[in-house]
Amino acid sequence: MDEFEREAHRARDLVGIGQSISSITNSLISGEDHFRSALVHSVAAVDSYVHGIVLDRAVDILMGRLKVEASSKIGLSFSAIGEIMSSGPSGSVEVEMAARTYVTERLGLETYQRPDNIATAFSMVGISKIWSTAFPNDANSQKTALGVIVSRRNRIVHQCDLDPLSGGSATPITADDALNSISVIEGIIKTIDPYC
């Protein structure tokens, strides 16, 4: 959670830089690209947070410190499992480091930004029904809010945030748009975190 909060703060700093650039240039230079960067960074903070939770719990499962009912797989190869098991005495630091290395490598192939992907990631390490558990009265609205932000993030990183309806110009974004996205994401992660 500390890492997530640090990254959310960095996203807010990007908004501040954009505001400062716009202010000192009397709006001759727009801060919009910094606002876009802030939104993208806040979604990356979600992805990083989920990866961290899944990594820690997966290693605890492999080391026998955490028993879960989950039957999902993370897809480690037999050779990776063999390397983990032969890296040292059972329960040793060497075994844990090998487990951490292979799980990190495997999780590096996944993104956990969209609500359903987050739920799937958590369920494979024993955290089931995260959305209805953390948000018993408004899980769908929280999932929708995050989904909208992630969709905007995807448009920014995959399509330069271009609006096809306006002749290829960038979709406007304000400091408040970015700050609101960061706040929504912070609220979601802070509510989810106690269940992880």
Side-chain angles (χ1 to χ4, degrees), residues 8-190:
H9 183 76
R10 288 179 65 201
R12 278 195 166 77
D13 286 347
L14 286 167
V15 174
I17 291 169
Q19 290 171 315
S20 295
I21 287 172
S22 184
S23 175
I24 63 174
T25 63
N26 292 319
S27 296
L28 291 174
I29 300 174
S30 171
E32 282 190 353
D33 285 336
H34 283 84
F35 307 152
R36 288 182 184 90
S37 295
L39 186 145
V40 169
H41 194 86
S42 66
V43 173
V46 171
D47 202 352
S48 180
Y49 170 83
V50 175
H51 271 89
I53 297 294
V54 172
L55 173 63
D56 289 346
R57 289 180 65 94
V59 169
D60 284 347
I61 292 166
L62 286 169
M63 297 298 293
R65 295 187 296 247
L66 178 63
K67 304 284 186 222
V68 298
E69 298 296 320
S71 61
S72 298
K73 307 169 203 160
I74 61 167
L76 290 178
S77 67
F78 288 124
S79 63
I81 294 169
E83 287 289 326
I84 292 168
M85 295 181 75
S86 67
S87 61
S90 178
S92 70
V93 171
E94 293 83 9
V95 171
E96 182 163 347
M97 291 308 296
R100 188 165 289 278
T101 298
Y102 283 105
V103 173
T104 298
E105 183 179 294
R106 173 60 188 93
L107 292 177
L109 303 174
E110 305 295 333
T111 57
Y112 302 122
Q113 301 169 355
R114 293 220 174 261
D116 290 343
N117 295 344
I118 292 169
T120 299
F122 284 157
S123 70
M124 74 182 174
V125 291
I127 303 168
S128 62
K129 300 180 181 177
I130 190 65
W131 292 102
S132 59
T133 302
F135 302 99
N137 299 320
D138 67 343
N140 286 334
S141 66
Q142 296 298 318
K143 290 167 63 174
T144 299
L146 179 59
V148 167
I149 295 167
V150 171
S151 291
R152 180 71 187 264
R153 174 258 178 216
N154 289 344
R155 199 168 69 231
I156 292 168
V157 300
H158 298 296
Q159 300 168 333
C160 301
D161 206 21
L162 297 178
D163 182 358
L165 301 177
S166 68
S169 62
T171 304
I173 187 170
T174 66
D176 286 342
D177 294 334
L179 290 171
N180 288 339
S181 294
I182 296 165
S183 292
V184 166
I185 285 172
E186 278 182 316
I188 288 170
I189 296 301
K190 286 180 180 179

